[in-house]
Amino acid sequence: MIFIWLRRIIGFFLFIISLCLAAGCFYYYHVKSTLPDVKQLKEVTYETPLQIYSADNLLIGEYGTDRRIPLEFEQIPQQVKDAFIAIEDRSFYSHFGIDLKGILRAAKVFFEKGKMAQGASTITQQVARNFYLSPEKNITRKLKEIFISIHMEQELTKDEILTLYLNKISFSHHANGIAAAAYIYFGKTVDELTLGETAILAGMPKAPSTNNPISNPDKARERRHLVLLSMLSTGKITQEQFDEADNEPINSYYHVPKIEANAGYVAESIRQTLEATYGDAIYTEGFKVYSTVDSRVQEKANQAVYNGLTDYDMRHGFRAPENLNDLGISSSDHERWQTELKKRQQYDYITPALVVSLKADNSANIIFADDSKASIPWNNIKWASNYNNQNKNARHPVERILKPGDIIYVHKTPAGEYALRQVPLVQGALISVNAQTGAILSMVGGYSYRKSSFNRVELSKRQAGSNIKPFLYSAALAKGYSLGTYVLDEKFSIWNKWSNQIWSPKNSPNVYEGPIPLRVALAKSKNVVSVRLLNHIGVGNFVKHLKKFGIDVNQKYSQNLSLALGAYEVTPLELVTAYSTFANGGYKIEPYLIDKIVIGDTEQVIYEANPAIACTDCPDAVTNTIVPEVIDEEAQYLEDNNYAEQVITHGNAFLISDALGSVIHGGYGPKGPFNGTGTRARAMKRSDIAGKTGTTNDSKDAWFSGFNANIATTVWVGHDSFSKALGRGESGSKTALPIWIEFMSYILKDQPLAPVSKPDYIVKNSIYGYPEFMISNGKDLNFGYTSSSDEPQTYTQQDEYGAEIHAEPPQVKPESSQSSAIEDLF
């Protein structure tokens, strides 16, 4: 009787199981058409952060919440595969997508507790859930997971499924996939992982936030032990390997992406451009961007700005450093002062240190946050002697500058010595472009990206000062003037309707030379000449001419005679673009940072730069006038062949470039030899360079913009606060030009001379006894002489202030030389 009832019960359960299987099969085939196409997983792209590279393929920036480094199956070490299979799914290579025993265990728990509390997921099921389903636990989601897994096993190989799993699985700390986890937790590639490290990572997927070795090393050690036991029991490792790996010390910390070159301003500018174009997709879809910036050139730009701002800072004195006593920290409390040092900002070239003691030879012993020790020789401290801390009992000079417990910054010199430094209060910027194509060669937006991410190259609008003058002189050429035209260099006054005051522009230095040729006036940056010149040309005409270069003076209140002195705000990027027009023969190029963008594992090219470039060999497409007439045939040729728009003639560009060469190299005028404001650049010993200094009123901004035919570079130095001046004696030639010289000396090293090309219609004639370039068959607006005339004409003209512009040069004896220390304060 018992036997009969037992048979009936077993039969009933078999019937129920059969019925469930039949229902499951029916449901599977019913929903099969609605299941996702798992074949698409063969071409899956993973959420991969944006990576930005230099032109020489070094990583300069990475952006994105999650980090992933997808691998092919062959790139994954067998040890890694064995570890994950041993702990996650031992029967992976034998099941058809699901583990029936595990499902029965999960069902038992469900009926006992009334909820899904038991996993039983195979690796295939985890892939199905990670790619297609939510992590919630309910019977509907579990059925879908099972069906997708079975379907997946029919369409993909086991190796493909395992590869998807190891590339997708989350490891906490924004690490997705085994390769990213290996780097973030251990700073290694997967093939460099030890067995113990592999086991730690294999033990994490079950509870990545709990089992990771950074947040909970003890829990990670326990999970590692279980993984190693599983590998040992399945014969994947030996007892000896088990013992060695199980006893490995855990040394894990968060490894940030390894930035290989220092170009923070470049990377951030590119990131903002991409986000504006492609949106948030750039952070997940594997964008790789290759910039136009070479890492070596960028590093020299960084160094040049650092050196220039440091030199300025040292000229203006040492500021009292913080001392441990001020912070209530005892020098004997090692942990607290070490923590204080670690809190201090690390910059590109200077490091915080603690003064331990002062020595009789006036050197200082220091210690760093990592407990390494060094000393600073007196020769690298004495620059700070202008600081007096009122230590009247000091027996040695160093005691008037430093004392034990001071927290200072130091710089390691090329000679290996340490030097006392401080974080400058001043800021600076450098931007360099290929003048022929617009490709940005380097960009430094401040003293250090770590100190301030604000990019002064692109965002900081500052008054241009005398950096605006070359465009005024270019407008004069377009109005018929020549570089030999005389304008009166004498004081005058005018009513300023905007301020309701009398305005009397002044030269700096306060020297006036009477009638002076435009070339000499530009080289010496004569302010009153510039204002007179603007008055003759007309403010409206100058505004129109400036717009050709991309400088749009659209505010009516700025359209006045102060424009002649650069009383208008521009960014360094706008200025370098405008100066490039002189360098390339009159073409307006568009600066660009992005050379190429690729996306996804296949690195599909979605963008490649194709800039409109200058055509130095093309005939002029415009006339030399304020509002140029377009020569249709030549302009059409430029457009058809992807050349940049020509905005001034080759002749105009050459004449201004040649005059700007006199800013550096000087020249010979009616009074004999003269020097310009940029004589320091003669140290480069290059005849092909030209440029212009600039300093705004009260020395609040210092500029130098210069170029040869290939490269244009602009440097700015100033305080972020518009109200703060650089200080007495600071100027474009003293403050900004040294940065330009250091950078350009590097980038032009071993490069052949590249002067701006002279068109055939520019000739050199003798004007009043000295040679000058001019346009062939041109006529000087103010003189009434032809280009071939060597004799002075009797001609005068008055400006609206009653001052005469003379035809005859002043009758003075030539001077053998003039002072080279001309500071350009406007």
Side-chain angles (χ1 to χ4, degrees), residues 533-581:
L533 190 61
L534 178 55
N535 177 63
H536 282 286
I537 293 169
V539 173
N541 284 327
F542 184 38
V543 169
K544 292 176 184 176
H545 196 69
L546 271 175
K547 195 168 184 179
K548 300 176 189 176
F549 299 88
I551 300 174
D552 188 6
V553 186
N554 50 23
Q555 299 97 340
K556 287 291 184 182
Y557 64 83
S558 297
Q559 296 178 10
N560 56 66
L561 291 180
S562 66
L563 266 180
L565 307 183
Y568 186 72
E569 295 174 355
V570 295
T571 65
L573 183 60
E574 289 172 328
L575 265 185
V576 80
T577 304
Y579 270 83
S580 295
T581 303

Side-chain angles (χ1 to χ4, degrees), residues 483-484 486 513 516-521 523-524 658-659 661-676 682 764-773 809-810 812-818:
L483 295 178
Y486 281 85
E513 303 181 35
I516 186 173
L518 291 189
R519 177 187 290 273
V520 181
K524 294 185 176 184
D658 192 67
S662 296
V663 173
I664 294 172
H665 305 291
Y668 190 91
K671 295 183 180 182
F674 65 87
N675 288 317
R682 293 181 191 173
K764 180 176 283 188
N765 285 319
S766 177
I767 302 178
Y768 308 129
Y770 73 97
E772 182 57 86
F773 283 117
V812 296
K813 293 181 180 180
E815 300 174 5
S816 58
S817 65
Q818 293 182 348

Side-chain angles (χ1 to χ4, degrees), residues 42 70 90 113 130 163 209 270 328 355 368 390 417 448 463 505 629 635 641 678 693 733 808:
K42 294 184 177 182
R90 291 190 186 185
K113 298 185 177 182
N130 287 332
T163 303
S209 60
I270 290 174
V355 177
F368 297 99
Q390 306 302 317
E417 295 180 338
S448 171
Q463 289 196 357
E629 295 179 17
N641 292 276
T693 52
S733 63
E808 290 187 57

Side-chain angles (χ1 to χ4, degrees), residues 472-483:
L472 173 61
Y473 283 65
S474 171
L477 296 182
K479 285 289 288 182
Y481 290 70
S482 77
L483 295 178

Side-chain angles (χ1 to χ4, degrees), residues 313-314 317-318 379-386 420-422:
D313 186 68
M314 292 167 66
F318 185 61
N379 195 49
N380 294 335
I381 298 174
K382 64 183 182 181
W383 67 267
S385 297
N386 55 3
L420 176 64
R421 294 291 183 264
Q422 58 192 359

Side-chain angles (χ1 to χ4, degrees), residues 96 171 281 345 404 413 443 521 770 783 797:
F96 59 95
F171 289 88
Q345 178 65 60
T413 69
M443 177 190 285
Y770 73 97
F783 293 146
Q797 177 180 321

Side-chain angles (χ1 to χ4, degrees), residues 114 143 179 212 240 262 282 292 410 433 442 462 607 630 644 662-663 690:
L143 285 173
N212 78 76
E240 183 180 358
N262 180 13
I282 63 172
T292 58
V410 295
V433 302
S442 63
R462 307 296 293 231
Y607 171 83
V630 176
S662 296
V663 173

Side-chain angles (χ1 to χ4, degrees), residues 3-24:
F3 180 72
I4 294 173
W5 278 105
L6 184 62
R7 285 178 60 188
R8 289 177 178 176
I9 292 171
I10 293 173
F12 175 76
F13 275 107
L14 288 175
F15 172 76
I16 294 297
I17 292 172
S18 299
L19 190 62
C20 289
L21 288 174

